[in-house]
Amino acid sequence: MKSLAEHEGTMTNGGIDVANSNGNESNLPGATDVDVVVVGAGFAGLYLLHRLRGLGMSAQCFETAAGVGGTWYWNRYPGARCDVESIDYSYSFDAELDEEWRWSERYATQPEILSYLEHVAGRFDLLQDIRFSTRVEAATWDDEQSLWRLRTDVGEDVACRHYVMATGCLSQPKTSEIEGHGRFGGEIYFTSRWPHEGVDFSGKRVGVIGTGSSAIQSIPVIAKQSKELTVFQRTPNFSIPARNGPDTAEKRAAADRDRAAYREQARRSRAGVPVEVAESGAMMVSEEERNERFEKAWSVGGLFATIGAFNDMLVNLTSNETLAEFIRDKIRGIVKDPVTAEALCPTNHPFGTKRPCLDDNYYDTYNQPHVKLVDLLKDPIQTITETGIDTAAVSHTFFTIVFATGFDAMTGAIVSVDITGRKGLRLADKWAEGPKTYLGLTTVGFPNFFAITGPGSPSVLSNMAVSIEQHVDWVCDLLGDLCKRGVDTIEPTEMAEAGWVQHVNDYADITLYPRANSWYMGANVPGKARVFLPYVGGVGNYRAICEEVVEKDYLGFTLDGEGQRQCNDGIIRRLQPDVAIMLGVMASMDLPPLESLSVGEARAFIAETQKQRAPGPDVGEIVDGQFPGATRDLDYRLYRPASPGPHPIVAYFHGGGWVLGGAASDDPLCRDLCVQSDAIIISMDYRHAPEERFPAAPDDGYAAVQWIADRAESLGGVPGQLAVTGWSAGANVAAVVCQTSRDSQGPAIAGQVLLTPVTDATKALSSKAENAEGYVLTSTLMDWFWDHYADPIDRANPKASPLRAADLSELPPALVVTCEFDPLRDEGAAYADALTAAGVDVEHLSARGQIHTSIPAVDMLRSGAYARQAMATALKQFFATSVSV
Ligand code: FAD
Ligand code: NAP
């Protein structure tokens, strides 16, 4: 059997003349052979060469293949096409090129895409700068000379100022880890290294390993030719009909009407394709409407219609499951043998978390008598033999085996070059636990190094033609600018890189993607670190971030050279992504500041906005009632768990600055706490300002815990198992209640959970100034609340400002949750510190990237889920360690 490397060696030139001239002189100081080395001559490398020439920079491109095209040079397997419509999956940088090239089909074939890229290379005269059949093997940063020294497999060395890897996300084939793969005596092919002369399957018995996109495209075509076809499936994949055909007139008309606008819309879109974004989630419509939309998407075909049918497919598991089941039903409807149909139904990952495939009669292929599916989950491959493949149960004999087993994606091609940066740091070592980049483009320790569509950029989650152009433009604009400024080196800072890695992970974590063992997660390659590799924030948003980095004078980069030395350190995105999206939506609504309204208007406004929020989980029972407050009856709402009682009880005090809200106003959070802590949560109202000012609220709070303690059993509680919690002003009430109860020998309180509490009106702590504006609770709104609630003289009273209590000892154990972008952050932190200093058992959870209002947003802001869980866990712990009376 031939190895992958031998397969590469059998490739022919692909019809392109190999020319190696290097026209431009280096225009940078120092001993550089060229200004820029570009590795790879696919979509990215070709556009780079064009742009660099426009900048007047000398560039040399090296390419392992004997021709241009990258992906489209190598992947010549039968049925290979794009899965983003060709009208979108093409260059936009040149209006004339865009105008003159016409695609023959909705999804062009590999030969057509390759001839397009060859046309581009010829049209822009790029071949002279490309050295084909030449692999870059090593690159070392020379710190003294501030340049890169590269070594190729033809023994040629080259020095350059800037080194750009345009080596592709899906260009490094995964080596076969199947035992015995060298033994097979028949023909072996890899979809990723297909012979130029093609393969004749006629009359042959063929085995295909894999059911990813490459397999799903090729299987129907191979089935047509072969005598017998056996497909070895480890993980069934979701596949959508491509509905390929001639270029769609509707889409063509939309693009032709105003091509520049069409392209610009793609650039600012989520996935690099101008499509309408659905406004509702799948569970917000009736089952009938949901299925209608799925049917429509299925009949239109294509990835974007399906995944875009609703706006929450990749974040809401319940919504996702409705689509997954819809597709499974389609599979069951198409494939006649029920055992095969069931084996083809994906059940171990949500739809879209592994790249969904586009097909042309894939499922129907299994209705042909000569096509068989082997479900490796039931009957795994043991070894490849001289004559075929042995599974645990059967010895299969083949003439030909096709490996459609995928790639070492996103990092494979980069780290397969021995890249050494400053102080001998090897990139492969630096990335051993997962790639670390700033913007997916650059990495600390490797100055003047750029990776086009590198890990941490939208890349494979987008129309890559759009992402490639954006990266190339960004890098080339930057190189042009640095040259003008007299800057020799650029390198990201540790802080910027760590911040970006965190942001990429934060984004992935609010989606369903990490639930799948996908190549997005590095899970397909044995031993590879499990890290979500691409940036899921979308191309439009990502483009805006890259632009902002430059607008902020290269935020997160160190620039160095005769002309300029600077280090503009910082983190480009610190808010949790879902919080940022919510703030963006709010900003676009141009809402009036709450403090500009009358109290009545503000209350009406809050009541209206609460109608829009997600309801929170179901609980066993909800009971509304009244209790005697300090001076009059007040409302409560009791949330009982579904589990058999009795349960511990938690008195909850709502947020709203002592002015807004009521017993039901934090409904989703109370439900969530009830379900997660398995305790009764009773949301106890208190009198509100300005009608009833300080100390009405804490007096009612204390009356509330006394009332609960007196009748715990009749409420379904465990006597003596009582805790308090609250949010914002409600957390202030909860903290004061604990102090009052201690001082008045009141009910025993097992613990206090204080979510972003107000603790001291008298101190101007730095978070109040830092987060004064932009994060919903503003400093002026906080002042508005205080003005309504308490006279200045009363604000120093510990019943208003519990941090000012003379003695904080002997208080119940506490969890204090503070949020990074909250004017009240430092008040909460100071209270946690003061309690600790007084000997109280305290946990302080500092919620990174959160704002004052984000933790209570149950089912809306997933990034706050861990803090809600921590609150419930703390309550459980309080009860576990408290003694029942
Ligand atoms: P590539 O096209 O991968 O080119 C990289 C080049 O670098 C290769 O030619 C390689 O030989 C060369 N190289 C690598 N390492 C070295 C080295 N050390 N020295 C010298 N040369 C080196 N994306 C979409 O958006 N839509 C699609 O429909 C789509 N379909 C795809 C279909 C297939 C079968 C595959 C595998 C991928 C598909 N992709 C698709 C992703 C596709 O890879 C990108 O769209 C795009 O073609 C990548 O272009 P590139 O120039 O960045 O990288
Ligand atoms: P892939 O999606 O990684 O699929 C590889 C397949 O091989 C999977 O089914 C995998 O199973 C299986 N496999 C791998 N190792 C195996 C082993 N040791 N034993 C048994 N099965 C094994 O690779 P791909 O199909 O080449 O596609 C990669 C990406 O390229 C796509 O996701 C897409 O982005 C792009 N692409 C696009 C198109 C297009 O339609 N335009 C076509 C081809 C490729 P597991 O899932 O269990 O790992």
Side-chain angles (χ1 to χ4, degrees), residues 71-72 75 77 79-84 89 107-108 113 170 174-179 191-192 208-217 232-237 303 348-349 354-359 376-377 381 403-409 460 464 517-520 523-526:
T71 289
W72 305 103
N75 293 266
Y77 59 83
R81 295 173 182 276
C82 51
D83 60 2
V84 170
Y89 184 58
Y107 300 99
I113 303 171
L170 294 159
K174 191 170 86 105
T175 48
S176 172
E177 65 273 6
I178 301 172
E179 202 202 285
T191 49
S192 54
V208 173
I209 304 176
T211 48
S213 300
S214 302
I216 282 180
Q217 282 187 331
F232 293 86
Q233 170 188 273
R234 189 164 65 183
T235 309
N237 237 322
L303 297 178
N348 78 347
H349 63 280
K354 278 169 99 97
R355 171 87 172 194
C357 310
L358 274 201
D359 73 87
L376 298 181
L377 296 177
I381 294 180
F403 281 78
T405 45
F407 300 86
D408 181 353
V460 292
M464 289 201 64
N517 283 330
S518 62
W519 58 258
Y520 296 143
N524 64 329
V525 176

Side-chain angles (χ1 to χ4, degrees), residues 486-642:
V487 171
D488 294 333
T489 63
I490 179 164
E491 187 186 343
T493 67
E494 298 271 2
M495 188 202 283
E497 180 174 283
W500 184 252
V501 170
Q502 186 67 64
H503 179 62
V504 171
N505 289 332
D506 285 346
Y507 236 124
D509 286 346
I510 61 168
T511 71
L512 303 174
Y513 280 108
R515 292 176 185 242
N517 283 330
S518 62
W519 58 258
Y520 296 143
M521 290 289 294
N524 64 329
V525 176
K528 190 168 174 174
R530 295 278 175 111
V531 178
F532 192 72
L533 295 166
Y535 176 60
V536 76
V539 299
N541 167 48
Y542 173 79
R543 179 183 292 269
I545 291 172
C546 291
E547 287 167 356
E548 197 179 317
V549 165
V550 177
E551 276 156 24
K552 293 188 167 158
D553 202 10
Y554 299 107
L555 181 70
F557 283 106
T558 302
L559 313 184
D560 200 356
E562 286 299 309
Q564 193 169 10
R565 287 203 162 78
Q566 71 172 49
C567 175
N568 190 4
D569 209 354
I571 293 177
I572 187 72
R573 285 291 178 271
R574 291 170 61 203
L575 277 170
Q576 287 290 340
D578 49 0
V579 174
I581 292 168
M582 183 200 71
L583 288 174
V585 171
M586 288 177 75
S588 70
M589 291 161 83
D590 208 15
L591 301 169
L594 220 48
E595 61 272 30
S596 69
L597 306 178
S598 70
V599 168
E601 288 168 339
R603 286 176 183 160
F605 175 80
I606 292 293
E608 204 47 44
T609 54
Q610 285 180 344
K611 288 184 193 155
Q612 318 291 326
R613 67 188 175 180
D618 287 338
V619 297
E621 184 188 28
I622 292 183
V623 181
D624 287 333
Q626 287 210 316
F627 73 99
T631 60
R632 63 176 167 85
D633 281 355
L634 294 163
D635 293 336
Y636 72 80
R637 174 169 279 193
L638 181 148
Y639 303 83
R640 195 183 310 285

Side-chain angles (χ1 to χ4, degrees), residues 39-40 42-44 63-64 70-71 74 82-84 89 136 167-168 464:
V39 189
F43 259 97
E63 169 56 65
T64 311
T71 289
W74 296 109
C82 51
D83 60 2
V84 170
Y89 184 58
V136 171
T167 43
M464 289 201 64

Side-chain angles (χ1 to χ4, degrees), residues 649-651 682 684 703-712 715 722:
I649 301 181
V650 180
I682 317 183
M684 311 297 288
V705 294
Q706 284 180 309
W707 181 82
I708 293 172
D710 287 350
R711 55 193 45 68
L715 290 167
L722 171 64

